[in-house]
Amino acid sequence: MLDFVFSNATKIIFGRGTELKTGQEISRYGKKILLHYGGGSIKKSGLYDRVIESLRKAGVEAIELGGAMPNPRLSLVREGIELCRKHGIDAILAVGGGSVIDSAKAIGIGVPYAGDVWDFYSTGRKVEEMLPLGVVLTIPAAGSESSGGSVITNEDGLYKRSVNSVNMRPKFAIMNPELTFTLPSYQTAVGAVDIMSHVMERYFTNVKNVDFTDRLCEATLKTMIVNTPIALKEPDNYEARAEIMWASTIAHNDLLGTGRIGDWATHGIEHELSAIYDIAHGGGLAIMWPAWMKYVYKHDIERFAQFACRVWNVEPDFRNPEKTALEGIESLKGFFSSLGIPVTLTDAGIPSDRLEEMARKATETGPLGNFVRLKKEDVEKIYRLAL
């Protein structure tokens, strides 16, 4: 296990009706806020009205910016930055899923910065400050409600890039599992893949003697394996939704990565898919994970065999651990398929004519991954395995 510093100051407010506390929580950070959200779903569900009433009772004025999309766009971020500056915004409230939260984070770091906010995503510029951010979570998936990460798509060139800083963690996250009852099945399914992906990026590590966090990762994955089918079959099952919502936070609040070095190649590979084809991030990950695993598993067959046995209950073949490892990969692929998600590029309707371009863009700043370092030619081979 490696030395580490773990700090996560996001206040989690979890449970039924917690969105009614939004006003009192955000009022700690200012009386004029930017209310950022996506499409019309929060208005159809009545959540918007409850949040607005909570803000009114707390004496908080809200300037609204809707329109955040999956794979959130840089153009809207820039619009939000100008809106905040024009109105003297004190803090930001994001009501939605990971795309809304990531967009809000980008706005928050852009407001106090004199240059272009894209600098943080394209040049590695460090984030020094951000407007205070609060979250009302409606989609458990990205884990952005307590992470320091944000991913934005630049329409100019179709680049999807990320930035991460402890200064970008939200001040609070309000999490009511009831708000997820009306999620479409596809959104629930790809959200589950996203959650599991955040765990697996940390699980496949070259660091030895990390059994405690191995077990935490495995428990989180097994929780998702049990509860996702329940939520799909019984959308208003509070207990299943609660397990998934809490798992989404734990999967990406950095706890599971303590003392180890994660990989993150699969995320980088997928970003090119969703940047060009606008596929849901979790949908792209469901395609790329089995392909990545088949390409790299021989690097550490024992770890993949452990993954198969502990997570998927594969009977170990001690004479042939490679067989065990491959069964685990197929179990993962089969589970994703059982959720009704395409697990190949072909099934997702993604053609093969831009694989080289995606591999080139994915590795423009150098090889991907830490478990196995992947160059352009490696990434292109993984895309081809995913066909």
Side-chain angles (χ1 to χ4, degrees):
M1 184 186 295
L2 302 177
D3 296 345
F4 65 88
V5 174
F6 175 72
S7 176
N8 193 321
T10 301
K11 178 182 179 181
I12 303 296
I13 305 156
F14 193 102
R16 294 179 173 88
T18 46
E19 68 272 19
L20 302 179
K21 300 179 180 179
T22 303
Q24 70 182 56
E25 291 297 328
I26 197 68
S27 67
R28 304 176 196 274
Y29 304 99
K31 292 297 184 179
K32 182 181 282 190
I33 68 163
L34 180 73
L35 174 59
H36 194 32
Y37 52 90
S41 61
I42 68 167
K43 293 185 177 180
K44 292 176 183 176
S45 69
L47 175 60
Y48 172 86
D49 291 334
R50 295 196 296 277
V51 169
I52 289 295
E53 177 62 13
S54 177
L55 295 175
R56 186 194 65 77
K57 288 181 177 179
V60 176
E61 178 186 355
I63 306 298
E64 298 186 26
L65 179 63
M69 302 170 63
N71 304 309
R73 309 309 200 257
L74 179 61
S75 57
L76 188 66
V77 168
R78 287 173 172 154
E79 182 181 337
I81 291 169
E82 292 307 311
L83 202 58
C84 287
R85 290 171 176 169
K86 176 182 177 181
H87 292 279
I89 293 297
D90 301 315
I92 303 174
L93 177 66
V95 182
S99 295
V100 175
I101 303 168
D102 281 10
S103 181
K105 288 177 179 178
I107 294 169
I109 63 176
V111 172
Y113 177 55
D116 182 10
V117 67
W118 187 245
D119 292 346
F120 294 109
Y121 296 84
S122 61
T123 69
R125 186 179 184 88
K126 292 185 177 181
V127 175
E128 302 294 341
E129 56 181 325
M130 183 178 85
L131 288 184
L133 171 65
V135 171
V136 178
L137 184 67
T138 63
I139 304 175
S144 195
E145 64 272 8
S146 69
S147 80
S150 167
V151 183
I152 296 295
T153 297
N154 187 341
E155 302 98 311
D156 183 9
L158 295 177
Y159 283 94
K160 185 175 180 180
R161 297 291 181 261
S162 63
V163 64
N164 198 294
S165 170
V166 294
N167 296 319
M168 294 171 63
R169 295 194 196 275
K171 298 297 185 183
F172 66 87
I174 289 174
M175 302 170 61
N176 177 1
E178 294 172 316
L179 301 180
T180 69
F181 287 177
T182 57
L183 283 178
S185 294
Y186 180 76
Q187 194 73 61
T188 297
V190 296
V193 175
D194 201 357
I195 294 166
M196 294 175 70
S197 297
H198 291 148
V199 180
M200 293 187 292
E201 293 284 18
R202 294 170 168 91
Y203 189 79
F204 291 100
T205 181
N206 292 317
V207 179
K208 304 301 181 184
N209 303 116
V210 287
D211 192 54
F212 176 65
T213 42
D214 273 355
R215 298 290 187 174
L216 293 178
C217 289
E218 292 153 5
T220 308
L221 291 170
K222 290 181 81 69
T223 295
M224 294 304 301
I225 292 165
V226 169
N227 286 282
T228 303
I230 297 174
L232 289 171
K233 185 178 180 180
E234 306 169 27
D236 58 352
N237 186 310
Y238 180 88
E239 300 305 332
R241 292 290 192 179
E243 296 283 358
I244 292 170
M245 182 170 262
W246 187 224
S248 79
T249 301
I250 297 300
H252 205 40
N253 73 350
D254 294 334
L255 174 65
L256 303 185
T258 49
R260 56 202 296 149
I261 298 172
D263 183 62
W264 298 103
T266 308
H267 266 68
I269 294 169
E270 192 289 321
H271 282 168
E272 304 309 322
L273 284 183
S274 48
I276 293 175
Y277 298 105
D278 210 24
I279 187 173
H281 180 51
L285 288 168
I287 295 168
M288 297 318 309
W289 269 110
W292 175 84
M293 288 180 169
K294 288 177 181 176
Y295 192 77
V296 306
Y297 78 92
K298 289 184 180 179
H299 174 71
D300 190 345
I301 290 176
E302 293 299 327
R303 175 153 287 274
F304 274 91
Q306 174 180 295
F307 173 74
C309 296
R310 292 186 182 178
V311 176
W312 299 105
N313 300 322
V314 173
E315 284 294 324
D317 187 332
F318 297 108
R319 293 177 297 180
N320 189 356
E322 182 174 3
K323 178 175 177 289
T324 303
L326 289 171
E327 284 188 35
I329 296 171
E330 287 304 311
S331 295
L332 175 74
K333 187 175 182 178
F335 178 72
F336 288 164
S337 181
S338 75
L339 302 180
I341 308 171
V343 290
T344 68
L345 294 174
T346 302
D347 288 345
I350 295 174
S352 61
D353 59 334
R354 302 183 74 171
L355 303 185
E356 187 277 336
E357 175 193 349
M358 291 192 293
R360 172 179 52 78
K361 290 171 73 174
T363 56
E364 276 184 355
T365 59
L368 295 179
N370 295 301
F371 186 68
V372 174
R373 298 290 281 170
L374 302 173
K375 297 179 180 179
K376 173 182 173 289
E377 54 269 27
D378 299 306
V379 173
E380 186 172 353
K381 289 176 182 176
I382 291 171
Y383 282 132
R384 295 197 179 281
L385 278 175
L387 286 171

